[in-house]
Amino acid sequence: MELKFSVPCLFGIEGLCADELKRMDISDVRAENGRVLFSGTQADMAKANINLRTGERVLLVAGETRADTFDMLFEGVKAMPWENYIPVGGEFPVKGHSLGSKLHSIPDCQRIVKKAIAERLKAKYKVEWFKEDGAKYQVQFAIMNDIAALYIDTTGAGLHKRGYRPQGNAAPLRETLAAAIVKLSRYRGREQVCDPFCGSGTIPVEAALAAVNRAPGINRLFAAQKWVWAKEQIWTDAREEAKDREYKGTYDIWGGDIDPKSIEIASANAKRAGVSEHIRFSVAEAADFHREEPGGIIMTNPPYGERVMLASEAEAIYRRFGVAVKNLDNWKAYILSSHTEFERTLGKKAVKKRKLYNGMIKCDLFMYY
């Protein structure tokens, strides 16, 4: 049976996520605002969960319905084939959101969706009471402009939770966004990579994972692994296939930060990710950054001025860093910042900018070639 899936992702990286799925030989891939859609099999579901670097989770699409009223929402949800996905005894909690729609009370929408699914399953399984004592099938709804989309989450904990970062610093960068920066830099493991504001080490770790071509979800579990209809073999096969694609090599990746505690955390994270042999971390002042070797890549996420310090303090850091990197020989730089005057403060206009979101903070990725 062909299934339909939706992969939510951070705004600005939908194209990168779509490209990842296409490279997995997954069909019918379509990028939309904030998500990527695709069609596929159970095996494609496992492959996407294990291999995606820039997607947030993999949602199984149950259906869509018009939802001008609660009655319309109830009947539309009840008409969807929930018995194809949720077995007798399956636990199906409901959560969701509503934007620009007549039905804006989330608790009421949750109650209606829950009741509609329960009525459908009771009728199909011919039971008076639907016990929820089995595996979890997290139902999500998204109501936008009076259209309700219903999903079941196959992932569980978000895909950005790779498992290597139990502890971050004061303003951690989401792993999926760090992976997007690595992809946009077109890093292929050949050049030297430096992050002078490495914090908890997310960018260096994601660069190392990309360099060795290690699937970010290879060592974690997913919600759908407990589902009775999702065969265990699909997960085993996807992991074996991912392992076969890993590279062996030596890579030159460095992360520096002025805070010794951050370096301690970053080193531990790299070790948990299994890439510590490819990364050097050291306590260093970004204003002193210098490299004699030509042709490297700076990927970094300096303090913004709205997360951990005053804007004036962030500007002073940008100025000193701008002076430090001014005379690097043939280096590229990809710098993420939300500061509206970043280019002026750094002292150099970017060749290209790309709008991205770090959580709810609107940022630009400033690209220097």
Side-chain angles (χ1 to χ4, degrees):
M1 179 176 69
E2 186 174 72
L3 304 167
K4 294 189 181 300
F5 298 94
S6 176
V7 180
C9 51
L10 297 171
F11 285 106
I13 64 174
E14 299 91 342
L16 298 176
C17 184
D19 184 60
E20 282 194 86
L21 290 165
K22 289 173 185 175
R23 289 176 184 273
M24 296 177 209
D25 294 324
I26 288 175
S27 63
D28 193 26
V29 177
R30 291 170 290 131
E32 298 183 352
N33 281 340
R35 67 176 185 173
V36 179
L37 304 173
F38 72 92
S39 302
T41 62
Q42 290 186 35
D44 293 323
M45 172 183 72
K47 200 187 300 184
N49 270 302
I50 288 168
N51 291 283
L52 272 174
R53 298 184 190 280
T54 57
E56 294 300 316
R57 58 183 64 248
V58 180
L59 302 175
L60 173 62
V61 178
E64 280 192 358
T65 183
R66 188 84 197 171
D68 292 307
T69 66
F70 286 124
D71 284 342
M72 288 178 72
L73 178 63
F74 178 85
E75 294 300 334
V77 172
K78 188 180 175 185
M80 295 175 190
W82 296 101
E83 67 280 3
N84 289 349
Y85 315 119
I86 304 175
V88 174
E91 180 190 1
F92 58 101
V94 176
K95 63 182 180 180
H97 63 270
S98 176
L99 292 171
S101 300
K102 298 180 186 72
L103 304 183
H104 50 78
S105 170
I106 302 305
D108 286 335
C109 290
Q110 285 176 299
R111 180 174 52 81
I112 294 295
V113 169
K114 180 80 176 180
K115 184 178 179 182
I117 298 172
E119 291 302 312
R120 170 87 183 197
L121 294 176
K122 283 194 293 183
K124 289 294 178 179
Y125 294 130
K126 296 179 171 50
V127 294
E128 291 296 319
W129 179 255
F130 196 83
K131 294 180 181 178
E132 295 186 52
D133 53 3
K136 184 177 178 180
Y137 298 76
Q138 178 67 62
V139 174
Q140 293 190 17
F141 64 85
I143 307 176
M144 297 189 69
N145 301 320
D146 300 317
I147 300 293
L150 276 293
Y151 310 99
I152 303 176
D153 180 15
T154 75
T155 301
L159 292 177
H160 69 278
K161 294 186 177 179
R162 320 286 208 215
Y164 66 74
R165 199 175 74 173
Q167 182 183 9
N169 59 356
L173 181 70
R174 187 174 282 234
E175 294 89 331
T176 42
L177 182 53
I181 293 170
V182 174
K183 280 187 171 294
L184 288 167
S185 76
R186 295 182 177 159
Y187 171 59
R188 299 289 184 272
R190 299 184 187 93
E191 305 95 330
Q192 181 181 174
V193 168
C194 293
D195 181 358
F197 301 94
C198 75
S200 56
T202 310
I203 290 177
V205 169
E206 291 296 326
L209 289 172
V212 301
N213 201 35
R214 181 167 302 149
I218 200 165
N219 294 319
R220 57 159 288 184
L221 297 176
F222 301 95
Q225 286 186 251
K226 295 182 179 179
W227 297 358
V228 293
W229 57 267
K231 302 178 182 67
E232 181 58 34
Q233 192 61 42
I234 64 173
W235 304 95
T236 302
D237 291 346
R239 286 190 170 88
E240 288 301 319
E241 187 182 321
K243 282 179 185 174
D244 289 343
R245 289 198 305 270
E246 287 190 15
Y247 304 141
K248 306 291 184 188
T250 304
Y251 306 98
D252 189 355
I253 302 170
W254 174 82
D257 199 282
I258 196 172
D259 178 22
K261 181 64 177 174
S262 289
I263 293 301
E264 187 181 312
I265 292 169
S267 299
N269 289 345
K271 189 173 182 180
R272 271 188 291 269
V275 292
S276 56
E277 64 187 285
H278 304 298
I279 310 174
R280 294 172 292 114
F281 288 108
S282 57
V283 177
E285 166 63 72
D288 297 330
F289 180 78
H290 181 69
R291 290 293 185 275
E292 295 293 341
E293 310 89 342
I297 307 175
I298 294 169
M299 306 178 205
T300 195
N301 174 44
Y304 295 171
E306 58 187 273
R307 301 191 301 169
V308 293
M309 61 175 61
L310 296 173
S312 58
E313 293 175 309
E315 286 186 1
I317 290 172
Y318 297 165
R319 282 193 196 94
R320 294 198 301 271
F321 183 59
V323 171
V325 300
K326 191 174 183 181
N327 296 316
L328 288 176
D329 182 13
N330 200 30
W331 276 64
K332 297 184 287 185
Y334 295 79
I335 307 174
L336 185 73
S337 178
S338 69
H339 199 293
T340 55
E341 296 296 314
F342 175 81
E343 291 166 291
R344 177 187 60 77
T345 311
L346 187 76
K348 190 173 184 182
K349 188 171 177 59
V351 175
K352 191 176 179 183
K353 290 191 293 185
R354 184 167 180 142
K355 202 168 294 299
L356 298 172
Y357 281 81
N358 187 10
M360 297 302 293
I361 302 174
K362 186 169 73 174
C363 302
D364 282 296
L365 183 65
F366 296 91
M367 309 182 199
Y368 297 89
Y369 308 141

